[in-house]
Amino acid sequence: MLLFSCASLAQQSVGYNIFLTNQEKEGQPLDQPMTQFDCSDRIFVVVTVAGLKQESHELKVRWLDPLDDQRELTRFNFQGLPITKIWAWLQLHGPTGAIVGQMFDPSFGMEEFIGEWKAEVFIDGEKVSVQRFQVLC
């Protein structure tokens, strides 16, 4: 009977809580989930994982724009803990020279960013979430 209990403990599942936010304090994202962002926001994808083995793991986030093109790829190696909180972020930048136009119109040069985006989240090569969000200017 004891052997059976040990075997079931070894097969505990991994649990994920994943959300997006632009709220931060001292460089760390706050637990305030959001789905709409401005072109000037730093957009965080926050991943809290429970039950990972205490060894090295890889977070990968593919940031896909409204045309489903990959705009950014984030890779981060981290050490698993009983509860691990990690994050990645996206900061959109308009084309060179758009800064002058943005003084009068914040969306100037950012039109291609407006719409529904996706953040595909992978842990150790396995897709664990797709977070959809809107970028509005």
Side-chain angles (χ1 to χ4, degrees):
M1 189 84 163
L2 181 60
L3 183 60
F4 178 73
S5 294
C6 291
S8 66
L9 287 176
Q11 296 175 357
Q12 287 180 342
S13 64
V14 176
Y16 299 93
N17 180 32
I18 303 172
F19 64 90
L20 299 160
T21 190
N22 68 355
Q23 302 296 303
E24 66 178 295
K25 183 176 181 179
E26 298 176 6
Q28 294 192 16
L30 300 176
D31 293 340
Q32 297 179 359
M34 304 173 70
T35 58
Q36 292 186 346
F37 300 93
D38 188 77
C39 286
S40 62
D41 286 341
R42 176 176 287 177
I43 304 166
F44 293 92
V45 61
V46 181
V47 180
T48 303
V49 188
L52 278 181
K53 291 183 180 179
Q54 293 187 20
E55 59 189 31
S56 182
H57 298 276
E58 181 191 53
L59 167 70
K60 180 172 87 171
V61 180
R62 293 182 65 223
W63 300 93
L64 304 173
D65 69 14
L67 297 176
D68 217 29
D69 292 329
Q70 181 176 298
R71 286 295 183 130
E72 295 287 335
L73 176 66
T74 305
R75 289 181 185 271
F76 178 70
N77 292 315
F78 65 96
Q79 190 67 29
L81 299 170
I83 297 178
T84 306
K85 184 175 182 180
I86 51 178
W87 59 87
W89 68 85
L90 174 69
Q91 182 79 52
L92 301 175
H93 298 284
T96 306
I99 294 173
V100 174
Q102 288 175 347
M103 289 173 38
F104 303 103
D105 177 6
S107 66
F108 182 83
M110 305 294 270
E111 296 83 4
E112 64 188 282
F113 299 139
I114 298 171
E116 183 176 273
W117 284 65
K118 292 186 289 190
E120 295 181 340
V121 180
F122 299 80
I123 300 289
D124 297 333
E126 177 185 343
K127 187 186 294 187
V128 295
S129 180
V130 176
Q131 297 290 307
R132 296 178 187 280
F133 61 99
Q134 294 287 324
V135 172
L136 310 169
C137 298

